[in-house]
């Protein structure tokens, strides 16, 4: 069932989204050569504590996970696409890092992600990250009343495929509200004009995940959480929580 949020609810989700943006910014600013992934998690956790918000990630255990997620921040490095667990690994020059963060405030959830390069960037990584951001922007632009979910999916997939990148199979965006994952699913590739009509009050996490090598396959790492590219190529992830309104898409997790 898809819950349509009221204007007041969307405003409340914006406050949660503001905390998400601050947490991602804090984690990115903390990143640098020699900094551990646990340090990034602590930087994001400090933002939650200061705001009086909780984490929808910490302790989360979906059907596919053998253990609850142990952190407030997903940190995925290089060939890790999403769901990376923060560890004592220390960042190296040229690492490509994707961070995914959520916050729950007064019962409402925000969810967002970004990718960036530590130290000296490789041109191919810069293009990968830029394309992830461009595909997210295209998906958001298509999130308007009168369109359908397939229009969002088609916009994302068109940008990704034009860039020569793979799209992670079986994973994509989703509804968000009182819970981090709600109906409906928002695939990262699809046919325009298909799927559920977009109505005011719908709120989605739109999140393209790109694989540099061009293939779509992935596998689960031994930790039971981290999803990695099958071909060993690098990956990038970009995400915003977006509300469908009569005035157009409203990004709730922008800084």
């Amino acid at each position: 069932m898809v819950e349509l949020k009221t204007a007041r609810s969307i405003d409340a989700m914006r406050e949660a989204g503001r905390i998400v943006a601050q947490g991602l910014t804090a984690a990115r600013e903390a990143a640098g050569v020699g900094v551990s992934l646990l340090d990034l998690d602590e930087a994001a956790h400090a933002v939650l504590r200061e705001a009086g918000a909780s984490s929808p990630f910490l302790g989360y255990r979906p059907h596919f996970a053998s253990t609850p997620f142990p952190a407030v921040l997903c940190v995925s490095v290089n060939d890790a696409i999403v769901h990376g667990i923060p560890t004592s690994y220390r960042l190296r020059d040229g690492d490509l890092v994707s961070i995914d963060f959520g916050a729950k405030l007064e019962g409402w959830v925000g969810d967002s992600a970004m990718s960036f390069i530590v130290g000296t960037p490789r041109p191919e990584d810069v293009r990968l990250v830029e394309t992830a951001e461009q595909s997210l922007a295209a998906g958001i632009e298509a999130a308007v009343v009168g369109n359908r979910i397939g229009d969002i999916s088609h916009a994302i997939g068109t940008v990704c495929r034009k860039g020569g990148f793979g799209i992670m199979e079986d994973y994509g965006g989703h509804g968000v509200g009182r819970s981090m994952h709600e109906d409906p699913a928002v695939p990262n590739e699809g046919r325009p004009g298909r799927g559920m009509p977009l109505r005011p009050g719908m709120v989605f996490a739109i999140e393209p995940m790109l694989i540099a090598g061009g293939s779509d396959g992935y596998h689960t790492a031994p930790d039971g959480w981290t999803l990695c590219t099958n071909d060993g190529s690098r990956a990038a992830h970009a995400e915003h929580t977006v509300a469908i309104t009569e005035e157009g898409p409203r990004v709730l997790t922008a800084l």
Side-chain angles (χ1 to χ4, degrees):
M1 183 178 71
V2 177
E3 177 192 3
L4 298 180
K5 280 72 174 179
T6 65
R8 180 174 294 182
S9 297
I10 290 172
D11 286 343
M13 291 188 70
R14 170 58 178 149
E15 294 310 307
R18 211 181 301 273
I19 296 167
V20 173
Q22 292 167 355
L24 286 173
T25 299
R28 179 170 185 173
E29 289 178 348
V33 175
V35 176
S36 79
L37 306 189
L38 288 171
D39 291 333
L40 305 191
D41 183 68
E42 174 52 33
H45 207 159
V47 171
L48 289 178
R49 288 193 294 265
E50 183 175 349
S54 61
S55 170
F57 289 17
L58 182 62
Y60 182 58
R61 187 178 179 182
H63 66 89
F64 62 80
S66 58
T67 59
F69 195 75
V72 303
L73 186 73
C74 294
V75 189
S76 306
V77 181
N78 295 333
D79 68 327
I81 311 167
V82 288
H83 301 167
I85 295 176
T87 66
S88 58
Y89 173 84
R90 294 189 178 276
L91 293 168
R92 301 171 183 174
D93 186 54
D95 276 346
L96 197 166
V97 182
S98 298
I99 52 177
D100 191 351
F101 184 57
K104 190 168 190 176
L105 183 70
E106 298 182 357
W108 295 104
V109 173
D111 185 14
S112 183
M114 65 168 63
S115 296
F116 59 90
I117 300 152
V118 175
T120 309
R122 305 191 310 181
E124 58 267 35
D125 290 341
V126 172
R127 191 171 79 87
L128 176 64
V129 172
E130 288 179 345
T131 306
E133 293 170 348
Q134 290 163 4
S135 62
L136 174 59
I140 293 171
E141 186 177 358
V144 296
V145 176
N147 273 357
R148 293 176 176 265
I149 286 179
D151 294 302
I152 298 175
S153 304
H154 178 71
I156 293 170
T158 297
V159 175
C160 294
R161 296 300 189 190
K162 185 177 180 180
F165 300 118
I167 298 171
M168 189 181 184
E169 297 174 338
D170 307 321
Y171 281 84
H174 49 87
V176 61
R178 294 284 185 182
S179 300
M180 181 167 57
H181 292 118
E182 297 182 352
D183 291 332
V186 185
N188 285 328
E189 194 166 34
R191 297 176 65 181
R194 298 296 183 92
M196 185 178 294
L198 303 183
R199 298 172 58 190
M202 289 179 167
V203 181
F204 305 136
I206 300 174
E207 51 175 325
M209 295 162 257
L210 279 62
I211 298 173
S215 66
D216 298 347
Y218 67 92
H219 63 274
T220 305
D223 64 19
W225 272 98
T226 309
L227 303 181
C228 301
T229 63
N230 279 347
D231 60 10
S233 66
R234 293 187 169 195
H237 180 200
E239 177 184 17
H240 271 309
T241 297
V242 181
I244 309 297
T245 77
E246 292 285 7
E247 294 73 34
R250 181 182 178 190
V251 179
L252 303 181
T253 45
L255 187 61

Coordinates of all heavy atoms in Angstrom, one line a residue, residues 162-211:
K162 N 23.6 5.4 -21.5 CA 24.3 6.3 -22.4 C 25.8 6.5 -22.0 O 26.7 6.6 -22.9 CB 23.6 7.6 -22.5 CG 24.2 8.6 -23.6 CD 23.4 9.9 -23.7 CE 24.0 10.8 -24.7 NZ 23.2 12.1 -24.8
G163 N 26.0 6.5 -20.7 CA 27.4 6.6 -20.2 C 28.2 5.4 -20.3 O 29.4 5.4 -20.0
G164 N 27.6 4.2 -20.7 CA 28.2 3.0 -20.8 C 28.4 2.2 -19.5 O 29.1 1.3 -19.4
F165 N 27.5 2.6 -18.5 CA 27.6 2.0 -17.2 C 26.6 0.9 -17.0 O 25.5 0.9 -17.5 CB 27.5 3.0 -16.1 CG 28.6 4.1 -16.2 CD1 28.3 5.4 -16.4 CD2 29.9 3.7 -16.1 CE1 29.3 6.4 -16.5 CE2 30.9 4.7 -16.2 CZ 30.6 6.0 -16.4
G166 N 26.9 0.0 -16.1 CA 26.0 -1.1 -15.7 C 25.0 -0.5 -14.6 O 25.3 0.5 -13.9
I167 N 23.9 -1.2 -14.5 CA 22.9 -0.8 -13.5 C 22.6 -2.0 -12.6 O 22.3 -3.1 -13.1 CB 21.5 -0.4 -14.2 CG1 21.8 0.9 -15.0 CG2 20.5 -0.1 -13.1 CD1 20.6 1.2 -15.9
M168 N 22.8 -1.9 -11.3 CA 22.7 -3.0 -10.4 C 21.3 -3.7 -10.5 O 20.3 -3.1 -10.4 CB 22.9 -2.4 -9.0 CG 23.0 -3.5 -7.9 SD 23.2 -2.7 -6.3 CE 23.5 -4.1 -5.3
E169 N 21.4 -5.0 -10.7 CA 20.2 -5.8 -10.9 C 19.4 -5.9 -9.5 O 20.1 -6.0 -8.4 CB 20.5 -7.2 -11.3 CG 21.1 -7.3 -12.7 CD 21.6 -8.7 -13.1 OE1 21.8 -9.5 -12.2 OE2 21.7 -9.0 -14.3
D170 N 18.1 -5.8 -9.6 CA 17.2 -6.1 -8.4 C 17.2 -5.0 -7.3 O 16.4 -5.2 -6.4 CB 17.6 -7.4 -7.7 CG 17.7 -8.6 -8.7 OD1 16.9 -8.7 -9.6 OD2 18.6 -9.4 -8.6
Y171 N 18.0 -4.0 -7.4 CA 18.0 -3.0 -6.4 C 17.7 -1.6 -7.1 O 18.1 -1.4 -8.2 CB 19.3 -2.9 -5.7 CG 19.5 -3.9 -4.6 CD1 20.0 -5.2 -5.0 CD2 19.2 -3.7 -3.3 CE1 20.1 -6.2 -4.0 CE2 19.4 -4.7 -2.3 CZ 19.8 -5.9 -2.7 OH 20.0 -6.9 -1.7
G172 N 17.0 -0.8 -6.3 CA 16.6 0.5 -6.8 C 16.0 1.4 -5.7 O 16.3 1.1 -4.5
G173 N 15.3 2.4 -6.1 CA 14.6 3.3 -5.2 C 13.4 2.6 -4.6 O 13.0 1.5 -4.9
H174 N 12.8 3.4 -3.7 CA 11.6 2.9 -2.9 C 10.9 4.0 -2.2 O 11.4 5.1 -2.1 CB 12.2 1.9 -1.8 CG 13.3 2.5 -1.0 ND1 13.1 3.3 0.1 CD2 14.6 2.5 -1.2 CE1 14.3 3.8 0.6 NE2 15.2 3.3 -0.2
G175 N 9.7 3.7 -1.8 CA 8.9 4.7 -1.0 C 9.6 4.8 0.3 O 10.3 4.0 0.8
V176 N 9.4 6.0 0.9 CA 9.9 6.2 2.3 C 8.9 7.1 3.0 O 8.2 7.9 2.4 CB 11.3 6.9 2.1 CG1 11.2 8.2 1.4 CG2 12.0 7.1 3.5
G177 N 8.9 7.0 4.3 CA 8.0 7.8 5.1 C 8.2 7.5 6.6 O 9.2 7.8 7.2
R178 N 7.2 6.8 7.2 CA 7.4 6.3 8.6 C 8.4 5.2 8.7 O 9.1 5.1 9.8 CB 6.0 5.8 9.1 CG 4.9 6.8 9.2 CD 5.2 7.7 10.5 NE 4.0 8.6 10.7 CZ 4.0 9.5 11.6 NH1 5.1 9.7 12.5 NH2 3.0 10.4 11.8
S179 N 8.6 4.5 7.6 CA 9.7 3.5 7.5 C 10.6 3.8 6.4 O 10.3 4.6 5.5 CB 9.0 2.1 7.3 OG 8.1 1.7 8.3
M180 N 11.8 3.2 6.5 CA 12.9 3.5 5.5 C 12.5 2.9 4.2 O 12.8 3.5 3.1 CB 14.2 3.0 6.0 CG 15.3 3.3 5.0 SD 17.0 3.0 5.8 CE 16.9 1.3 6.3
H181 N 11.9 1.8 4.2 CA 11.5 1.1 2.9 C 10.0 0.9 2.9 O 9.5 0.1 3.7 CB 12.2 -0.2 2.8 CG 13.7 -0.1 2.6 ND1 14.6 -0.6 3.4 CD2 14.4 0.5 1.6 CE1 15.9 -0.3 3.0 NE2 15.7 0.4 1.9
E182 N 9.3 1.6 2.0 CA 7.9 1.5 1.9 C 7.6 1.2 0.4 O 8.5 1.3 -0.5 CB 7.2 2.8 2.3 CG 7.3 3.1 3.8 CD 6.6 4.3 4.2 OE1 6.1 5.0 3.3 OE2 6.5 4.6 5.4
D183 N 6.3 0.9 0.1 CA 5.9 0.8 -1.3 C 5.8 2.2 -1.9 O 5.5 3.1 -1.2 CB 4.6 0.1 -1.4 CG 4.6 -1.4 -1.0 OD1 5.7 -2.0 -1.2 OD2 3.6 -1.9 -0.5
P184 N 6.0 2.3 -3.2 CA 6.3 1.3 -4.2 C 7.8 1.2 -4.5 O 8.6 2.1 -4.0 CB 5.6 1.8 -5.4 CG 5.8 3.3 -5.3 CD 5.7 3.6 -3.9
A185 N 8.2 0.2 -5.2 CA 9.6 0.1 -5.7 C 9.8 1.1 -6.9 O 8.8 1.3 -7.6 CB 9.9 -1.3 -6.2
V186 N 11.0 1.7 -7.0 CA 11.3 2.6 -8.0 C 12.5 2.1 -8.7 O 13.7 2.5 -8.4 CB 11.5 4.1 -7.5 CG1 11.7 5.1 -8.6 CG2 10.3 4.5 -6.6
P187 N 12.4 1.3 -9.7 CA 13.6 0.7 -10.4 C 14.4 1.7 -11.1 O 14.0 2.8 -11.4 CB 12.9 -0.2 -11.5 CG 11.5 -0.5 -11.0 CD 11.1 0.8 -10.3
N188 N 15.7 1.4 -11.3 CA 16.6 2.3 -12.0 C 16.6 2.1 -13.5 O 17.5 2.7 -14.2 CB 18.0 2.1 -11.4 CG 18.1 2.7 -10.0 OD1 17.5 3.7 -9.7 ND2 18.9 2.1 -9.2
E189 N 15.7 1.3 -14.0 CA 15.6 1.2 -15.5 C 14.2 0.7 -15.7 O 13.6 -0.1 -15.0 CB 16.6 0.2 -16.0 CG 16.7 0.2 -17.5 CD 18.0 -0.6 -18.0 OE1 18.3 -1.6 -17.4 OE2 18.5 -0.2 -19.0
G190 N 13.6 1.2 -16.8 CA 12.2 0.9 -17.1 C 11.7 1.5 -18.3 O 12.4 2.3 -19.0
R191 N 10.4 1.3 -18.6 CA 9.8 1.8 -19.8 C 8.9 3.0 -19.5 O 8.2 3.0 -18.5 CB 8.9 0.7 -20.4 CG 9.7 -0.5 -20.9 CD 8.8 -1.6 -21.4 NE 8.1 -1.1 -22.6 CZ 7.2 -1.9 -23.3 NH1 6.9 -3.1 -22.8 NH2 6.6 -1.4 -24.4
P192 N 9.0 4.1 -20.2 CA 8.2 5.3 -20.0 C 6.7 5.0 -20.1 O 6.3 4.1 -20.9 CB 8.7 6.3 -21.0 CG 9.2 5.5 -22.1 CD 9.8 4.2 -21.5
G193 N 5.9 5.7 -19.3 CA 4.5 5.5 -19.4 C 3.9 4.3 -18.8 O 2.7 4.0 -18.9
R194 N 4.8 3.5 -18.1 CA 4.4 2.3 -17.4 C 4.5 2.5 -15.9 O 5.2 3.4 -15.4 CB 5.2 1.1 -17.9 CG 5.2 0.8 -19.3 CD 3.8 0.4 -19.8 NE 3.8 0.0 -21.2 CZ 3.9 -1.2 -21.6 NH1 4.2 -2.2 -20.8 NH2 3.9 -1.5 -22.9
G195 N 3.7 1.7 -15.2 CA 3.8 1.7 -13.8 C 2.8 2.6 -13.1 O 1.9 3.2 -13.8
M196 N 2.9 2.7 -11.8 CA 2.0 3.5 -11.0 C 2.0 5.0 -11.4 O 3.0 5.6 -11.5 CB 2.3 3.3 -9.5 CG 1.4 3.9 -8.5 SD 1.9 3.6 -6.8 CE 1.6 1.8 -6.8
P197 N 0.8 5.6 -11.5 CA 0.8 7.0 -11.7 C 1.3 7.8 -10.5 O 1.1 7.4 -9.4 CB -0.7 7.3 -11.9 CG -1.3 6.0 -12.3 CD -0.5 5.0 -11.6
L198 N 2.0 8.9 -10.8 CA 2.5 9.7 -9.7 C 1.5 10.7 -9.2 O 0.9 11.4 -10.0 CB 3.8 10.5 -10.2 CG 4.9 9.6 -10.7 CD1 6.1 10.4 -11.1 CD2 5.3 8.5 -9.7
R199 N 1.3 10.7 -7.9 CA 0.3 11.5 -7.3 C 0.9 12.4 -6.2 O 1.9 12.0 -5.5 CB -0.8 10.7 -6.6 CG -1.6 9.8 -7.6 CD -2.5 8.8 -6.9 NE -3.4 9.5 -6.1 CZ -4.2 8.8 -5.2 NH1 -4.1 7.5 -5.1 NH2 -5.1 9.5 -4.5
P200 N 0.3 13.6 -6.0 CA 0.8 14.4 -4.9 C 0.8 13.7 -3.5 O -0.2 13.0 -3.2 CB -0.2 15.6 -4.9 CG -0.7 15.7 -6.3 CD -0.8 14.2 -6.7
G201 N 1.8 13.8 -2.8 CA 1.9 13.2 -1.5 C 2.7 11.9 -1.5 O 3.1 11.4 -0.4
M202 N 3.1 11.4 -2.7 CA 4.0 10.3 -2.7 C 5.4 10.8 -2.4 O 5.8 11.9 -2.8 CB 4.0 9.7 -4.1 CG 2.8 8.9 -4.5 SD 2.9 8.2 -6.2 CE 1.6 7.1 -6.2
V203 N 6.2 10.0 -1.7 CA 7.5 10.3 -1.3 C 8.4 9.1 -1.6 O 8.2 8.0 -1.2 CB 7.7 10.7 0.1 CG1 9.2 11.1 0.4 CG2 6.8 11.9 0.5
F204 N 9.5 9.3 -2.5 CA 10.3 8.2 -2.9 C 11.8 8.6 -2.5 O 12.2 9.7 -2.5 CB 10.3 8.1 -4.4 CG 9.0 7.9 -5.0 CD1 8.6 8.5 -6.2 CD2 8.1 7.0 -4.4 CE1 7.3 8.3 -6.7 CE2 6.8 6.8 -5.0 CZ 6.5 7.4 -6.2
A205 N 12.6 7.5 -2.3 CA 14.0 7.6 -2.3 C 14.4 7.2 -3.7 O 14.2 6.0 -4.1 CB 14.6 6.7 -1.2
I206 N 14.9 8.1 -4.5 CA 15.4 7.8 -5.8 C 16.9 7.6 -5.8 O 17.6 8.5 -5.3 CB 15.0 8.9 -6.8 CG1 13.5 9.1 -6.8 CG2 15.6 8.7 -8.2 CD1 13.0 10.3 -7.6
E207 N 17.4 6.4 -6.3 CA 18.8 6.1 -6.0 C 19.5 5.3 -7.1 O 19.5 4.1 -7.0 CB 19.0 5.5 -4.6 CG 18.1 4.3 -4.3 CD 18.5 3.7 -3.0 OE1 19.7 3.7 -2.6 OE2 17.6 3.2 -2.3
P208 N 20.0 5.9 -8.1 CA 20.8 5.2 -9.1 C 22.1 4.6 -8.5 O 22.7 5.3 -7.7 CB 21.1 6.2 -10.2 CG 20.9 7.5 -9.5 CD 19.9 7.3 -8.5
M209 N 22.4 3.4 -8.9 CA 23.7 2.7 -8.5 C 24.4 2.3 -9.8 O 23.8 1.4 -10.5 CB 23.4 1.6 -7.6 CG 22.8 2.0 -6.3 SD 22.0 0.6 -5.4 CE 20.2 1.0 -5.7
L210 N 25.5 2.8 -10.1 CA 26.2 2.6 -11.4 C 27.4 1.7 -11.2 O 28.2 1.9 -10.3 CB 26.6 3.9 -12.0 CG 25.5 4.7 -12.8 CD1 24.4 5.1 -11.9 CD2 26.1 5.9 -13.4
I211 N 27.6 0.8 -12.2 CA 28.8 0.0 -12.2 C 29.7 0.4 -13.4 O 29.2 0.4 -14.6 CB 28.4 -1.5 -12.3 CG1 27.5 -1.9 -11.1 CG2 29.6 -2.4 -12.5 CD1 26.9 -3.3 -11.2

